Amino acid sequence: MKTQQHTFSTAVLLAVLSTSVSTAALAQSAPIAPIKPADFEKMLGEVSAKRLEARIRKLAAFGTRSTLSETESETRGIGAARRWIKRELDDCSKATGGRLDVVFDNHIAPVSSRIAKPTELVNVVATLHGSQPESNGRIYVVSGHYDSMPTLPTDGVTDAPGANDDASGTAAAMELACVMSKYQFDATLIFMAVAGEEQGLVGARFWANAAKAKGLNIAGMITNDIIGNTKGADGTVVRDRVRLFAEGVPPVKDLPDDVITMLRSGGENDLAPRQLARHVKSAADKWIKDIKVEVIYRRDRYLRGGDHSPFLDAGYAGLRMTEYLENWQHQHQNPRTENGKQYGDLPDYVDFDYVAKVTRVNAAALATMALAPASPAEVQMETFQLENNTTIRWKANTEPDLAGYKIVWRETTAPFWQQSKDVGKVTRATVEAVSKDNYIFGVVAYDKDGFESPATYPLPLRLR
């Protein structure tokens, strides 16, 4: 069975990733009221460990989901897996009156070190359009990669159940789509099951590059990759922490002028990915009580990569969510038993309750960002004279439910915001007797329900 061929720049872009909501989409979402803070407990409680387990086991049961594996079978290989994922998401869309637009995003991956011949690569993309005209062009993406691999990345035949890497992240993205589509958000949410990760982040790179070429406003991206293990090879168990990898300064030779300006003013920890990570942690701390987000100041695990990397390379803020404790006996291994030890990425080694916790962290973060106003733009620190006061100005937001702004600050060695001042609905404010020499500042926008945006770091404004 072959999927219908189309390209991102035509059918997918026009039908799914439009920066304005279609009349049909608005009509479908109209009966559902915007989610309020009081609804959060209900929404988070709808995340089901049992559904996550069922989907993880189903994905593992396809035998292998290698990008290079069987595509015609209905029971084995990546073709069967992607068709099943789409059916599941289509069913969730039907259950909510068609609120999710679900499509195949097809590409031909060229020959590379891990792809011996041109190969069709298919992402499964579900879009929940934002309901607020001023916000629906702002997009938040969450993903898991549904392909898997055995010991050799070019082996498309050997079993590679990929229960944790990354059926866990794929099931999380699917669960988020199905739960969150029951509610209405101002900004647009995109839920992706990505292929080609094990062949070099190919599916995510196609998608991110196409989004960049079309000028899509991807305000934040989270990939969930390996989020199901809680027991290390030495028997250590960690169920109450999850790692969130957040890049600082991008590893490129020629940095953009605004990044250079940030570095000159001490803002190396305040580029968009780390502001996004602060927001994710803050949302988790507020809404999730049984797991803590540990922000890691690094693009990914040491010299490793994930599907957020192409988004970072395209200039978007991307993060990686990963279990706190990895067990490499159950990653990228042919299933086998050696010296009494079981190798292979099998469902038996996935903690489904833990996957549900991590999924709830994603839900809290995505919902708060998609309900909040956009991060303030054109934020500038006035440097007209030497003084111990700090004055910041910014461009006014356009959202109709905007309630005001906060100036936030922290010590230069502190990772997270320590203090704040609510300045109301203004576009210039002063924090008295707090020197910009000694603290890092940011500006946050908030709406009438109290939902806050990630902060924006102020660039210096000088008199000419």
Side-chain angles (χ1 to χ4, degrees), residues 173-336:
M174 295 170 69
E175 182 72 358
L176 289 164
C178 294
V179 169
M180 298 184 76
S181 60
K182 300 176 184 178
Y183 299 90
Q184 183 170 296
F185 300 91
D186 295 342
T188 293
L189 295 170
I190 293 180
F191 311 89
M192 293 175 44
V194 180
E197 195 271 353
E198 304 292 7
Q199 271 57 52
L201 318 178
V202 183
R205 194 168 304 280
F206 273 127
W207 201 95
N209 288 346
K212 186 67 174 180
K214 291 298 178 179
L216 296 186
N217 178 17
I218 310 295
M221 184 270 181
I222 305 171
T223 190
N224 289 268
D225 194 352
I226 312 178
I227 60 167
N229 179 69
T230 56
K231 187 175 183 180
D234 63 355
T236 301
V237 175
V238 178
R239 291 193 176 98
D240 61 353
R241 283 175 284 175
V242 63
R243 291 179 293 172
L244 185 67
F245 289 88
E247 180 178 82
V249 180
V252 296
K253 291 182 179 180
D254 297 317
L255 292 171
D257 290 343
D258 60 340
V259 174
I260 294 292
T261 302
M262 290 182 69
L263 297 182
R264 286 174 175 163
S265 57
E268 59 269 15
N269 286 321
D270 286 79
L271 279 79
R274 292 200 175 157
Q275 302 289 22
L276 185 67
R278 290 186 182 100
H279 183 95
V280 172
K281 179 174 173 57
S282 177
D285 287 347
K286 180 174 182 178
W287 295 105
I288 314 293
K289 304 306 180 186
D290 53 2
I291 189 169
K292 295 294 182 183
V293 173
E294 300 283 353
V295 177
I296 309 294
Y297 278 4
R298 183 168 278 152
R299 172 178 279 217
D300 206 317
R301 300 149 305 158
Y302 197 77
L303 298 181
R304 300 173 75 184
D307 282 327
H308 63 309
S309 293
F311 285 82
L312 288 166
D313 294 340
Y316 297 124
L319 305 173
R320 179 189 177 118
M321 192 91 66
T322 296
E323 64 202 21
Y324 191 80
L325 193 64
E326 292 185 70
N327 186 337
W328 294 279
Q329 294 177 5
H330 306 305
Q331 291 181 26
H332 300 174
Q333 296 279 350
N334 291 352
R336 67 193 188 282

Side-chain angles (χ1 to χ4, degrees), residues 18-320:
S18 172
T19 56
S20 62
V21 178
S22 67
T23 302
L26 285 172
Q28 291 165 352
S29 63
I32 299 180
I35 187 171
K36 299 292 183 180
D39 300 319
F40 261 59
E41 294 293 341
K42 179 176 182 293
M43 180 188 70
L44 296 173
E46 290 175 5
V47 172
S48 168
K50 289 185 178 180
R51 278 196 303 268
L52 288 161
E53 176 179 0
R55 287 181 175 136
I56 290 169
R57 291 188 181 280
K58 177 66 175 181
L59 286 164
F62 287 110
T64 177
R65 303 186 307 279
S66 167
T67 299
L68 311 177
S69 65
E70 169 67 56
T71 61
E72 299 296 325
S73 170
E74 288 301 319
T75 58
R76 183 178 177 85
I78 196 166
R82 67 194 179 215
R83 291 189 291 275
W84 173 79
I85 292 169
K86 187 175 185 300
R87 286 195 299 270
E88 288 284 293
L89 292 171
D90 281 336
D91 287 345
C92 289
S93 183
K94 290 175 184 176
T96 57
R99 290 172 54 78
L100 285 172
D101 283 332
V102 186
V103 299
F104 283 137
D105 172 38
N106 304 54
H107 309 276
I108 298 298
V111 173
S112 67
S113 62
R114 293 191 174 190
I115 302 176
K117 62 181 180 180
T119 300
E120 184 183 40
L121 187 150
V122 184
N123 302 321
V124 189
V125 183
T127 301
L128 179 62
H129 293 283
S131 62
Q132 188 180 84
E134 296 80 4
S135 299
N136 59 32
R138 178 163 41 100
I139 300 168
Y140 298 95
V141 177
V142 61
S143 75
H145 72 86
Y146 73 97
D147 62 309
S148 64
M149 63 170 275
T151 302
L152 294 177
T154 55
D155 181 353
V157 177
T158 301
D159 279 356
N164 191 26
D165 184 12
D166 185 35
S168 64
T170 300
M174 295 170 69
E175 182 72 358
L176 289 164
C178 294
V179 169
M180 298 184 76
S181 60
K182 300 176 184 178
Y183 299 90
Q184 183 170 296
F185 300 91
D186 295 342
T188 293
L189 295 170
I190 293 180
F191 311 89
M192 293 175 44
V194 180
E197 195 271 353
E198 304 292 7
Q199 271 57 52
L201 318 178
V202 183
R205 194 168 304 280
F206 273 127
W207 201 95
N209 288 346
K212 186 67 174 180
K214 291 298 178 179
L216 296 186
N217 178 17
I218 310 295
M221 184 270 181
I222 305 171
T223 190
N224 289 268
D225 194 352
I226 312 178
I227 60 167
N229 179 69
T230 56
K231 187 175 183 180
D234 63 355
T236 301
V237 175
V238 178
R239 291 193 176 98
D240 61 353
R241 283 175 284 175
V242 63
R243 291 179 293 172
L244 185 67
F245 289 88
E247 180 178 82
V249 180
V252 296
K253 291 182 179 180
D254 297 317
L255 292 171
D257 290 343
D258 60 340
V259 174
I260 294 292
T261 302
M262 290 182 69
L263 297 182
R264 286 174 175 163
S265 57
E268 59 269 15
N269 286 321
D270 286 79
L271 279 79
R274 292 200 175 157
Q275 302 289 22
L276 185 67
R278 290 186 182 100
H279 183 95
V280 172
K281 179 174 173 57
S282 177
D285 287 347
K286 180 174 182 178
W287 295 105
I288 314 293
K289 304 306 180 186
D290 53 2
I291 189 169
K292 295 294 182 183
V293 173
E294 300 283 353
V295 177
I296 309 294
Y297 278 4
R298 183 168 278 152
R299 172 178 279 217
D300 206 317
R301 300 149 305 158
Y302 197 77
L303 298 181
R304 300 173 75 184
D307 282 327
H308 63 309
S309 293
F311 285 82
L312 288 166
D313 294 340
Y316 297 124
L319 305 173
R320 179 189 177 118

Side-chain angles (χ1 to χ4, degrees), residues 269-270 278 297 409-418 440:
N269 286 321
D270 286 79
R278 290 186 182 100
Y297 278 4
W409 65 95
R410 68 183 195 277
E411 296 172 347
T412 61
T413 56
F416 307 111
W417 301 117
Q418 296 170 313
I440 300 292

